[in-house]
Amino acid sequence: VRVRRALGMLVDPARVVAAFGGHGVPARAFAKPDSKEYPRDVEPLPHDLSRARAELREAGFGADLGRPLRLVLLAPEGPDAIRRTLDLFADAARQVGIDLEVRVREWTPFVAEKNEDRWDGLFVMQGFHAWGDPYDFVHGDSPDNPSHWRDPEVDRLAAAARAEFDPERRIVLWRELHARVYEQQPV
């Protein structure tokens, strides 16, 4: 979690929104920010490179410690805004001492390499379902969870929300799920 949180602090939300022409809102959940299930009490991670570096050191990573964090980030080719966002992330990673290899591939080679699990992270755009169900992105058994990240509490909440008939109770479950996912920082 500490390493994932440090990676999250490398993202500068204002510059990402600017890369997309000022359109959009930084997300903290797989839900529309104005929806009832959106977790309003979740504090956004700060864009803080020195804090990210400190988190990595506390996790035992640092070139001066003889243990640099080495990561392979796989991304499909995409529009200029995506490429600029990827460049921002890669630059921030270098600034905190991460040995980052960025692999940008055309779609077919991207999918092949993704399926071979020859990466530590994927840099992809994901949309969410209009009906609000985040199960596909966060449940450990979902094929749309390519990192295979798994958290028993998130799996329980995702399954419970899918089985819940009461819409208000389902919203409460989704809020809990979104807060837990944000706390664990798998994406």
Side-chain angles (χ1 to χ4, degrees), residues 153-173:
E153 180 63 6
V154 168
D155 288 354
R156 183 191 72 74
L157 289 165
R162 276 214 162 160
E164 181 57 59
F165 288 109
D166 177 4
E168 293 304 314
R169 176 68 186 131
R170 188 170 43 250
I171 287 169
V172 169
L173 292 167

Side-chain angles (χ1 to χ4, degrees), residues 29-40 128-132 178:
F30 287 106
K32 293 181 181 180
D34 60 350
S35 67
K36 290 181 179 180
E37 59 270 13
Y38 199 80
R40 285 155 184 68
F128 48 84
H129 300 303
W131 55 92
H178 290 307

